[in-house]
Amino acid sequence: MHRPAQRDQRDHHDQGERQPGRRGSRLRRLLVCAAAVPAVLVAAGCSSSDSGSTSGGDAKQQSSEAQPSKSTSSAPTVKPAAYAKLPDSCSALSGKTLGDLVPNGAKSGKKGSTDEPSKRASCSWTSLQNNGVKGSQFRWLNISLLRFDSDATRGDGNERAQEYFTSQVKDAQSTAGAKNTKAQPATGVGDQATTVRYDLQKKEGTFKQQTIVARVENVVITLDYNGAGLAGDKAPDADDLAEAAVKATKEAVSAVTAANRGGASTAPSQGASKSPSANPSASKGSAKGASPSASASAGKTN
């Protein structure tokens, strides 16, 4: 009876010693878990915050991309040029007019060479009328046409033509060796026109030079007409020469208009074009003070 009682006590004692160890272990596990919970919550909170921030940034970026750029501007435009082509230079004047100005050379027009006939063209005529012992009368006529396109880079064709018109008038007024130079407006010829007159002394005689520079829209016409009395013949009347030159220039203006009737350009040229104004001095195609010894092209070439 005693032994069982002692065994019971020992068992009870052993169980008592083991119980506190188990409770301590559980308590430690609970504390560790409790400490881990806030860290998990903090990590979750940070993750949620970061996710929200990124989402908001993406939304702003998408919104910004969806908005049209305010700095985008449309390409510059210019007014279309009025005329898109030129008439045949040697047919720009009527047979009657040529018969009056260059009677012995009306059918011998010499066309100038060009690689862009729609932009530049020229033609010249030479006439030598022999009056026997009275001498002879020399006449030389040249017509030059230059057309300017409207270009987004270089500007409006009409304005470019006006600038070239001004330079042509100045060039005529500054001809080397010219005497008694006079310049005056030529009324009723295109949109604007100027007559430049002067005398040019050569070994054959005194040449009476008439240069008419006219502009019609985006086309510039330069007409040179000179005459001289040779081998003792008297010099022609400068007023008569000027009147004939103005009449011829009016015909040339009409020829430009007729060539473009129903075919004017409808849109400005895009980008860089082969504009004749790149080097105007190379396309002036007019000779002044022509000499009979040089046939159709003597004297100064502009």
Side-chain angles (χ1 to χ4, degrees):
M1 295 293 294
H2 179 70
R3 289 180 181 175
Q6 289 180 347
R7 187 169 53 251
D8 293 340
Q9 290 178 358
R10 283 197 302 272
D11 293 339
H12 181 73
H13 178 71
D14 293 337
Q15 291 176 3
E17 289 178 349
R18 288 193 294 270
Q19 291 290 341
R22 293 177 181 174
R23 287 196 296 270
S25 178
R26 290 176 183 171
L27 180 58
R28 284 193 297 273
R29 285 197 297 270
L30 288 174
L31 291 174
V32 171
C33 291
V37 169
V40 172
L41 293 175
V42 170
C46 292
S47 176
S48 175
S49 174
D50 291 343
S51 175
S53 175
T54 301
S55 176
D58 291 343
K60 290 180 181 179
Q61 183 177 358
Q62 292 174 359
S63 175
S64 175
E65 292 175 351
Q67 293 290 335
S69 175
K70 294 182 179 179
S71 61
T72 302
S73 58
S74 58
T77 58
V78 292
K79 180 182 177 182
Y83 296 134
K85 61 179 72 173
L86 294 175
D88 179 82
S89 55
C90 290
S91 301
L93 303 179
S94 68
K96 182 179 183 308
T97 297
L98 290 173
D100 292 340
L101 272 66
V102 282
N104 285 3
K107 297 181 180 180
S108 60
K110 183 179 180 181
K111 187 174 295 186
S113 62
T114 176
D115 56 352
E116 295 179 297
S118 69
K119 292 185 177 181
R120 67 186 75 204
S122 65
C123 191
S124 61
W125 297 262
T126 302
S127 174
L128 183 62
Q129 187 175 8
N130 192 336
N131 297 321
V133 294
K134 294 182 178 179
S136 58
Q137 286 290 320
F138 175 78
R139 300 288 186 274
W140 182 82
L141 173 66
N142 183 85
I143 184 172
S144 173
L145 304 100
L146 199 59
R147 184 182 66 82
F148 294 83
D149 283 324
S150 288
D151 184 274
T153 301
R154 297 179 177 178
D156 180 272
N158 286 19
E159 293 178 358
R160 296 171 63 205
Q162 188 168 23
E163 291 175 0
Y164 183 67
F165 166 86
T166 302
S167 71
Q168 282 288 81
V169 172
K170 289 181 179 179
D171 283 353
Q173 290 176 301
S174 60
T175 299
K179 296 181 179 180
N180 305 318
T181 302
K182 297 178 182 179
Q184 61 187 40
T187 59
V189 185
D191 295 318
Q192 59 183 143
T194 298
T195 299
V196 179
R197 302 166 57 174
Y198 55 82
D199 297 336
L200 198 62
Q201 187 66 43
K202 289 183 174 292
K203 63 180 181 179
E204 296 89 355
T206 300
F207 289 78
K208 301 290 185 176
Q209 174 71 33
Q210 318 294 316
T211 297
I212 315 295
V213 183
R215 181 184 68 84
V216 52
E217 299 286 355
N218 58 311
V219 175
V220 176
I221 300 167
T222 303
L223 186 142
D224 287 295
Y225 183 49
N226 64 47
L230 308 177
D233 203 349
K234 65 179 182 180
D237 185 271
D239 290 337
D240 291 342
L241 295 180
E243 183 179 350
V246 169
K247 178 183 177 181
T249 307
K250 287 182 178 179
E251 280 193 14
V253 169
S254 297
V256 171
T257 303
N260 287 274
R261 189 169 293 130
S265 61
T266 57
S269 300
Q270 300 298 323
S273 63
K274 297 179 180 179
S275 169
S277 66
N279 186 7
S281 62
S283 60
K284 290 178 183 176
S286 59
K288 299 177 184 178
S291 168
S293 61
S295 186
S297 56
K300 176 188 173 184
T301 299
N302 280 345

